[in-house]
């Protein structure tokens, strides 16, 4: 899954650390000394060279049920991939506005690809809706946001073997070491069960894999064999990944069959707070759908949200927050549900964000990439996909020509500047 989802785990880890500190203050002096000695010993162990750490970690893995044969098969001779460790401490700063975030993820390329997938896998989406109650639009949104619908270009350019990545994080990333160690053991368990092989398990530097970017823990505890081929896999045909993700949304997100995620609305200025009310009650207060249509389920409840003053307003139902369990960022959840709606024929938001631009078309993004490449900036290719390479190229160009803010946003305003410059 995406990097933002790590935020909630980090928060839990911080709370756990604070609780541990408070407990230490209440210990007797002798107990406190022993605790300090234990902490010092742990820190010493964690400063081991990587190969010695791998040897020492085997004891912890075996205590969790990993056999010596499995550990040796996967971990012997492994070299740490430090990409994730470096990325955590050195993420590019782009400072996107919400409208920019949405334009990038609900792009012309993704909408077009999503509409093709909606037709190609119509039978699978219908089965998922029948079995789990999750609407096809939501499934298309997850799939599109997480892996660009399993796009092979994404797999080729951005995926890497996950064991060297997880091992490096478990060894060298101090703030969340217990989390990364747990996920490394989960990944070893998957190999031990015969569900996959170390060579097959490729994903992001954080260990997220496949069509809907499962972390090993999700693969182990939520994954199902939805296509009946005898194994559980987020790779290959999308059946297992999408069916299991629907199960995740129902079991962990409490997704409600048949309810909408919410609606863009026109909200009177006097509405304040975040109290949940029925759609009928909201309508009585003067809140109406922005597209002029009626609310389909008057008795369902929703909460108000105005993400940016003066911009679009929303009523968010229970299923918006079910989606949010997949990634705790409100911007992520809004992009996901909006992309899903566009993939099944929905319209853009009616109201505009302050200072926003329309989303560039596929042809316009390709032109931006071609023009930047001609100027010597590496966009990773002119394919209409806006990834980190394109954003970094845009940012470097903005800095060179004095555009402020240098936010890395590849939009129609930037294209106009590039055309002017030529």
């Amino acid at each position: 899954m995406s990097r933002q989802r790590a935020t909630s785990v980090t928060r839990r880890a911080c709370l756990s650390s604070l609780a541990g500190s408070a407990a230490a203050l209440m210990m007797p002096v002798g107990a406190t000394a022993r605790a300090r000695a234990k902490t010092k010993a742990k820190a010493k162990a964690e400063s081991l060279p990587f190969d010695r750490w791998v040897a020492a970690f085997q004891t912890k893995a075996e205590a969790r049920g990993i056999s010596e044969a499995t550990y040796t098969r996967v971990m012997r001779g492994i070299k740490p991939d430090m990409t994730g460790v470096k990325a955590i401490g050195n993420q590019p700063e782009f400072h996107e506005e919400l409208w920019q975030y949405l334009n990038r993820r609900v792009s012309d390329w993704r909408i077009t690809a999503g509409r093709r997938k909606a037709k190609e896998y119509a039978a699978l989406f219908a089965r998922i809706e029948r079995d789990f109650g999750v609407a096809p639009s939501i499934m298309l949104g997850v799939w599109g946001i997480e892996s660009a619908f399993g796009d092979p270009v994404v797999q080729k350019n951005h995926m890497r073997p996950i064991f060297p990545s997880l091992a490096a994080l478990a060894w060298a990333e101090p703030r969340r070491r217990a989390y990364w160690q747990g996920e490394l053991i989960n990944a070893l368990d998957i190999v031990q069960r015969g569900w996959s092989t170390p060579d097959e398990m490729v994903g992001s530097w954080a260990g997220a894999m496949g069509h809907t970017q499962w972390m090993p823990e999700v693969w182990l505890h939520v994954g199902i064999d939805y296509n009946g081929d005898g194994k559980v896999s987020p790779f290959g045909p999308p059946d297992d990944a999408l069916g299991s993700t629907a199960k995740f949304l129902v079991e962990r997100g409490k997704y409600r069959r048949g309810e909408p995620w919410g609606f863009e609305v026109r909200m009177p200025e006097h509405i304040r707070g975040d109290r949940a009310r029925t759609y009928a009650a909201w309508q009585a207060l003067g809140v109406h759908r922005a597209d002029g249509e009626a609310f389909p389920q008057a008795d369902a409840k929703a909460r108000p949200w105005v993400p940016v003053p003066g911009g679009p307003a929303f009523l968010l139902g229970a299923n918006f927050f079910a989606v949010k369990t997949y990634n705790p960022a409100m911007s992520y959840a809004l992009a996901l549900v909006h992309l899903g709606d566009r993939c099944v024929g929905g319209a853009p938001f009616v109201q505009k964000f302050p200072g926003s631009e329309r989303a560039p078309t596929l042809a316009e993004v390709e032109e931006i990439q071609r023009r930047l490449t001609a100027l010597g900036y590496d966009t990773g290719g002119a394919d209409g996909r806006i990834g980190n390479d394109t954003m970094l190229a845009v940012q470097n160009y903005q800095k060179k020509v004095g555009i402020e803010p240098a936010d890395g946003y590849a939009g129609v305003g930037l294209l106009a500047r590039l055309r002017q410059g030529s």
Side-chain angles (χ1 to χ4, degrees):
M1 303 173 189
S2 68
R3 178 174 58 87
Q4 286 176 300
R5 190 157 48 255
T7 305
S8 64
V9 181
T10 303
R11 189 177 297 114
R12 287 194 296 271
C14 289
L15 291 172
S16 177
S17 297
L18 289 171
S21 298
L25 290 173
M26 293 185 288
M27 287 181 182
V29 175
T32 303
R34 288 193 297 271
R36 286 174 179 164
K38 185 176 180 181
T39 300
K40 192 175 292 186
K42 181 181 178 183
K44 183 178 180 181
E46 289 167 347
S47 65
L48 290 171
F50 181 73
D51 56 345
R52 290 178 60 191
W53 175 86
V54 169
F57 189 68
Q58 182 170 351
T59 301
K60 182 173 289 189
E62 289 179 352
R64 288 273 303 274
I66 303 302
S67 70
E68 180 181 358
T70 297
Y71 195 85
T72 300
R73 173 189 175 191
V74 177
M75 302 294 286
R76 175 181 287 173
I78 194 170
K79 302 297 181 186
D81 180 349
M82 301 300 287
T83 304
V85 177
K86 294 174 182 176
I88 287 173
N90 190 31
Q91 287 290 342
E93 293 294 336
F94 295 116
H95 302 296
E96 293 178 294
E97 299 288 342
L98 179 56
W99 64 267
Q100 295 173 321
Y101 181 94
L102 291 170
N103 282 357
R104 275 192 63 211
R105 287 154 183 83
V106 190
S107 65
D108 195 20
W109 184 90
R110 272 197 172 101
I111 294 167
T112 302
R115 289 175 177 172
R116 287 198 302 266
K117 295 297 183 182
K119 293 178 180 178
E120 182 180 357
Y121 291 98
L124 174 60
F125 292 126
R127 181 187 170 203
I128 288 172
E129 187 168 26
R130 183 176 64 251
D131 290 347
F132 299 101
V134 181
S137 61
I138 297 296
M139 299 312 307
L140 284 159
V142 176
W143 195 10
I145 293 290
E146 291 294 343
S147 71
F149 307 102
D151 181 46
V153 173
V154 172
Q155 296 293 316
K156 177 183 176 183
N157 293 342
H158 302 290
M159 300 298 126
R160 58 200 335 106
I162 62 106
F163 279 106
S165 296
L166 285 177
L169 289 162
W171 166 58
E173 211 295 298
R175 290 166 295 179
R176 300 178 60 208
R177 183 171 281 118
Y179 171 76
W180 297 119
Q181 290 183 355
E183 287 292 25
L184 176 57
I185 291 171
N186 288 333
L188 288 164
D189 195 359
I190 289 166
V191 173
Q192 184 161 285
R193 295 183 187 206
W195 290 1
S196 191
T197 66
D199 290 339
E200 184 184 32
M201 293 171 70
V202 297
S204 71
W205 57 254
M209 294 168 277
H211 291 281
T212 50
Q213 291 291 276
W214 291 353
M215 289 301 289
E217 185 276 331
V218 174
W219 191 343
L220 272 179
H221 299 117
V222 185
I224 55 175
D225 177 11
Y226 203 56
N227 63 357
D229 66 355
K231 64 178 182 177
V232 178
S233 176
F235 306 111
D239 306 51
D240 289 2
L242 295 177
S244 301
T245 299
K247 179 188 173 193
F248 179 102
L249 293 173
V250 171
E251 291 187 354
R252 299 193 181 183
K254 308 305 178 187
Y255 188 96
R256 297 181 183 180
R257 181 185 294 267
E259 283 194 16
W261 65 263
F263 300 96
E264 183 192 1
V265 296
R266 296 191 185 277
M267 192 175 296
E269 291 186 4
H270 69 270
I271 300 295
R272 294 288 185 271
D274 61 353
R275 177 185 169 190
R277 292 181 170 91
T278 65
Y279 287 110
W282 285 117
Q283 187 162 320
L285 290 172
V287 179
H288 303 280
R289 283 178 58 171
D291 60 9
E293 299 293 324
F295 293 118
Q297 294 181 344
D299 293 335
K301 288 188 173 183
R303 297 179 180 276
W305 182 43
V306 182
V308 179
F314 302 91
L315 290 181
L316 305 178
N319 287 343
F320 180 91
F321 297 98
V323 166
K324 190 169 172 283
T325 62
Y326 213 70
N327 180 317
M330 293 287 284
S331 54
Y332 170 93
L334 185 62
L336 189 155
V337 296
H338 188 43
L339 174 62
D341 285 348
R342 298 299 308 279
C343 289
V344 296
F349 292 137
V350 175
Q351 300 159 107
K352 306 300 181 186
F353 287 94
S356 65
E357 301 173 355
R358 66 167 175 82
T361 66
L362 178 63
E364 286 171 334
V365 173
E366 291 172 341
E367 184 180 349
I368 289 169
Q369 292 170 324
R370 287 196 301 272
R371 288 181 178 275
L372 286 171
T373 300
L375 292 171
Y377 299 95
D378 182 12
T379 66
D383 56 6
R385 301 169 175 88
I386 302 174
N388 276 353
D389 287 343
T390 295
M391 291 181 71
L392 191 58
V394 170
Q395 189 179 61
N396 288 335
Y397 170 78
Q398 290 170 325
K399 290 177 179 178
K400 179 73 177 293
V401 300
I403 295 175
E404 293 291 343
D407 53 19
Y409 178 67
V412 293
L414 178 83
L415 178 57
R417 176 63 182 265
L418 286 165
R419 287 171 174 171
Q420 183 184 34
S422 66

